[in-house]
């Protein structure tokens, strides 16, 4: 169990704060170059290099060559000891007449030095592909916004950024929408005290519809374009719904009752499957990018991997067996993130009693690596453009940490929050990260840079200029 969560029931019975409400919501060596041997007429003045050097008669002294070939043989056939004077005369004659030449074959051109060719090729390659510059990572947030009444509860999920570039955040019993393209803020819904506070929010893949989990165990589905409540899923759970995850038209809900339920929102009888594996509250839910596997984390320190291929197998008493039950964490498992460049790689983070980020092969269930971060891991996000992982933490530094994967070397630590950073959400283009903390502030970080394919002007309009005039959510 992870310490530090506040009781919601006590909040509901307590009195409202007396102070006036604050405004709210915002990425060879090569073989040496060898020109082809030409079959056309040669230019005597041009250098022609091939892979062989053939002697030419025009460059040979035939008499000298005959002498060099036959003289050593005469000495062997007539082994008569020569006088010292005669031997000295022979050496002097060879020096003056032969110029100490011993080579029989002669070549027109001297072979080129191979090192020069390799050096030229290397220099050309360096010029053709310049080194990639290191990305600048801002150490401070772009903007800090007030988010009063944000519930300080580790097990909830109150922040999400949809595909239509609209950010949703639950503050108390109210859900607010902030349009990152225009900077406008609107209130979606405020639930009654009997149903609130809001315990989870999650955008559907279309970026238009949003699911809202409540403390009463109900789940509401809203159309944000018309601000219209489409339907309410009732009696799916017995206690509050703190985690939500979409898989196309399937909305997966996780509750304090330990149940995980797949709901097909298109049909009247919405419950199509129930997963039983957690003994305490389900606080983390994430579908893989392929939609084939579901990861769930709970306050019972368990991490489960569920596979849709097992849903059609024989079930016992309506229950589906998990693919893997992973018990390595020593505290609640809320932070979950599927790797965007390796489909079977999952990162998970443990609470205050564990403080570790673990990496899993979800096909085999093997733990690939474990890193002790030194503090409670509240949320995890992968960089969509680089092999990097961002984590948010609690006591003592309440920081965001950027890690290089797979070395897990710290690239940067981002400070600014004064209390634990409970929630993180990533913009659709993967550049900007929004973080919400128990200090009741919402901060935006340009930590993942700008994708090379995205036009600079568009990136600036969507993630820089929009913050200039808006300091509040409400």
């Amino acid at each position: 169990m992870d310490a530090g969560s506040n009781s919601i029931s006590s909040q509901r019975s307590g009195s409202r704060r007396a102070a006036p409400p604050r405004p709210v919501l915002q990425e060879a060596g090569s073989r040496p170059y060898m020109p082809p041997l030409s079959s056309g007429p040669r230019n005597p003045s041009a250098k022609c290099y091939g892979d062989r050097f053939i002697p030419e008669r025009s460059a040979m002294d035939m008499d000298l060559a005959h002498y060099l070939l036959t003289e050593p043989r005469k000495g062997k056939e007539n082994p008569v000891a020569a006088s010292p004077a005669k031997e000295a005369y022979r050496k002097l004659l060879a020096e003056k007449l032969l110029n100490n030449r011993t080579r029989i074959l002669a070549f027109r051109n001297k072979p080129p030095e191979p090192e020069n060719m390799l050096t030229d090729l290397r220099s050309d390659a360096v010029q053709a592909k310049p080194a990639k510059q290191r990305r600048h990572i801002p150490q401070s947030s772009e903007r800090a916004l007030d988010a009063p009444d944000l519930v300080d509860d580790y097990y909830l999920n109150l922040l999400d950024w949809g595909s239509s570039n609209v950010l949703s955040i639950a503050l108390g019993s109210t859900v607010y929408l902030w349009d990152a393209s225009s900077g406008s803020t609107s209130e979606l819904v405020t639930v009654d005290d009997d149903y609130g506070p809001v315990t989870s929010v999650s955008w559907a893949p279309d970026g238009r519809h949003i699911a809202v989990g409540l403390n009463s165990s109900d789940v509401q589905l809203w159309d944000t374009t018309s601000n219209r409540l489409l339907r309410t899923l009732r009696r799916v759970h017995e206690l509050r719904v703190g985690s939500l995850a979409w898989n196309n038209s399937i909305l997966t809900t996780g509750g304090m009752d330990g149940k995980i339920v797949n709901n097909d929102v298109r049909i009247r009888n919405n419950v199509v499957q129930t997963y039983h594996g957690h003994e305490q509250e389900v606080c983390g839910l994430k579908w893989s990018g392929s939609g084939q596997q579901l990861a769930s984390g709970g306050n019972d320190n368990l991490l489960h991997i569920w596979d849709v291929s097992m849903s059609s197998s024989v079930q016992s008493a309506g229950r589906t067996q998990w693919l893997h039950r992973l018990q390595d964490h020593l505290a609640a498992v809320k932070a979950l993130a599927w790797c965007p460049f390796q489909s079977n790689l999952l990162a998970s983070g443990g609470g205050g009693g564990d403080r570790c980020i673990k990496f899993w092969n979800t096909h085999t269930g093997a733990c690939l690596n474990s890193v002790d971060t030194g503090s409670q891991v509240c949320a995890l996000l992968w960089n969509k453009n680089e092999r990097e992982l961002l984590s948010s933490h609690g006591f003592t530094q309440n920081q965001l940490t950027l890690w290089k994967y797979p070395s897990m070397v710290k690239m940067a630590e981002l400070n600014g929050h004064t209390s634990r950073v409970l929630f993180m959400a990533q913009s659709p283009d993967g550049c900007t990260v929004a973080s919400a903390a128990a200090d009741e502030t919402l901060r935006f970080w340009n930590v993942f840079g700008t994708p090379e394919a995205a036009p600079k002007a568009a990136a600036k309009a969507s993630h820089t200029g929009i913050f200039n005039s808006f300091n509040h959510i409400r």
Side-chain angles (χ1 to χ4, degrees):
M1 182 162 182
D2 204 78
S5 62
N6 291 348
S7 172
I8 290 182
S9 59
S10 62
Q11 291 180 359
R12 291 169 51 187
S13 60
S15 59
R16 296 285 181 180
R17 59 177 68 181
R22 286 181 289 157
V24 193
L25 332 160
Q26 331 243 96
E27 149 109 219
S30 58
R31 295 179 59 188
Y33 171 70
M34 203 63 68
L37 296 177
S38 175
S39 59
R42 296 188 178 185
N43 183 0
S45 61
K47 293 184 178 181
C48 180
Y49 300 139
D51 59 349
R52 294 176 299 170
F53 296 92
I54 303 174
E56 296 187 2
R57 286 181 172 270
S58 61
M60 290 186 191
D61 187 336
M62 303 303 293
D63 294 334
L64 176 62
H66 180 268
Y67 171 79
L68 292 174
L69 286 171
T70 59
E71 184 64 19
R73 186 184 305 170
K74 291 179 180 179
K76 293 180 180 180
E77 293 176 352
N78 303 303
V80 179
S83 64
K86 188 174 182 179
E87 185 65 25
Y89 173 76
R90 188 187 65 80
K91 292 182 178 180
L92 182 62
L93 183 63
E95 180 182 348
K96 297 299 182 180
L97 297 180
L98 304 179
N99 291 326
N100 287 326
R101 287 184 293 175
T102 59
R103 177 173 293 179
I104 299 174
L105 303 179
F107 302 88
R108 177 185 295 265
N109 296 318
K110 187 178 180 180
E113 293 291 337
E115 294 184 1
N116 295 337
M117 296 178 65
L118 291 175
T119 303
D120 293 341
L121 289 172
R122 292 192 190 102
S123 62
D124 292 343
V126 172
Q127 293 176 1
K129 189 176 181 180
K132 186 176 181 180
Q133 293 183 353
R134 186 174 181 179
R135 186 178 84 253
H136 170 67
I137 303 173
Q139 299 297 300
S140 59
S141 59
E142 285 190 57
R143 182 72 63 179
L145 312 173
D146 286 331
D149 300 327
L150 181 71
V151 179
D152 181 9
D153 194 324
Y154 177 82
Y155 305 103
L156 305 186
N157 293 273
L158 305 179
L159 184 70
D160 197 19
W161 204 327
S163 60
S164 60
N165 207 19
V166 177
L167 183 142
S168 63
I169 184 170
L171 302 178
S173 296
T174 305
V175 177
Y176 293 93
L177 304 179
W178 179 79
D179 192 327
S181 300
S182 64
S184 62
T185 302
S186 62
E187 178 181 321
L188 178 66
V189 59
T190 297
V191 299
D192 295 336
D193 291 341
D194 292 339
Y195 299 96
V198 176
T199 52
S200 54
V201 293
S202 180
W203 283 100
D206 61 6
R208 173 180 175 180
H209 301 93
I210 190 171
V212 178
L214 303 178
N215 190 57
S216 65
S217 78
D218 290 347
V219 178
Q220 296 181 350
L221 299 179
W222 287 81
D223 184 342
T224 60
T225 58
S226 60
N227 272 34
R228 184 167 59 96
L229 177 62
L230 301 178
R231 68 181 298 184
T232 300
L233 309 181
R234 305 182 189 277
R235 294 178 294 276
V236 174
H237 294 275
E238 300 173 8
L239 298 171
R240 71 178 185 181
V241 180
S243 53
L244 301 167
W246 287 89
N247 187 9
N248 296 319
S249 60
I250 300 296
L251 174 62
T252 304
T253 58
M256 186 180 273
D257 55 9
K259 290 194 304 183
I260 301 171
V261 181
N262 285 342
N263 302 270
D264 191 334
V265 299
R266 302 168 299 179
I267 60 179
R268 182 179 183 86
N269 298 324
N270 49 277
V271 177
V272 294
Q273 198 147 31
T274 301
Y275 298 151
H276 296 269
H278 292 281
E279 300 173 358
Q280 297 185 37
E281 181 169 17
V282 179
C283 51
L285 279 178
K286 282 290 188 301
W287 280 99
S288 63
S290 64
Q292 296 300 305
Q293 291 186 329
L294 172 70
S296 66
N299 192 30
D300 50 9
N301 308 346
L302 294 178
L303 171 63
H304 285 97
I305 306 297
W306 313 84
D307 198 292
V308 295
S309 63
M310 302 181 68
S311 62
S312 59
S313 60
V314 178
Q315 300 183 28
S316 174
R319 301 188 178 189
T320 299
Q321 184 71 14
W322 56 78
L323 178 63
H324 299 296
R325 184 182 183 122
L326 309 172
Q327 308 179 60
D328 293 29
H329 282 290
L330 303 178
V333 184
K334 174 196 173 186
L336 299 171
W338 289 92
C339 179
F341 52 83
Q342 186 174 338
S343 61
N344 65 324
L345 177 61
L346 174 72
S348 63
D354 181 76
R355 307 179 303 275
C356 290
I357 299 175
K358 297 181 183 296
F359 298 90
W360 308 88
N361 182 334
T362 60
H363 289 171
T364 64
C367 183
L368 306 176
N369 192 13
S370 180
V371 178
D372 190 341
T373 67
S375 59
Q376 181 185 54
V377 183
C378 300
L380 293 171
L381 287 175
W382 287 95
N383 187 342
K384 297 178 180 179
N385 309 302
E386 302 285 346
R387 299 198 170 208
E388 299 168 356
L389 180 70
L390 182 69
S391 58
S392 70
H393 300 273
F395 183 80
T396 60
Q397 295 184 0
N398 307 307
Q399 83 282 15
L400 280 73
T401 303
L402 183 63
W403 309 83
K404 186 66 178 177
Y405 184 84
S407 65
M408 291 305 286
V409 173
K410 287 185 182 181
M411 299 180 64
E413 286 195 343
L414 313 178
N415 297 286
H417 286 292
T418 58
S419 188
R420 58 181 180 173
V421 188
L422 293 165
F423 319 112
M424 289 197 303
Q426 192 173 13
S427 61
D429 64 5
C431 297
T432 304
V433 170
S435 62
D439 58 9
E440 296 189 344
T441 63
L442 179 65
R443 293 178 180 268
F444 294 86
W445 312 82
N446 188 23
V447 62
F448 289 149
T450 303
E452 296 179 1
K456 293 183 179 180
K460 183 176 181 181
S462 299
H463 297 97
T464 303
I466 55 178
F467 298 111
N468 292 341
S469 305
F470 301 93
N471 297 321
H472 308 289
I473 297 178
R474 193 187 328 175

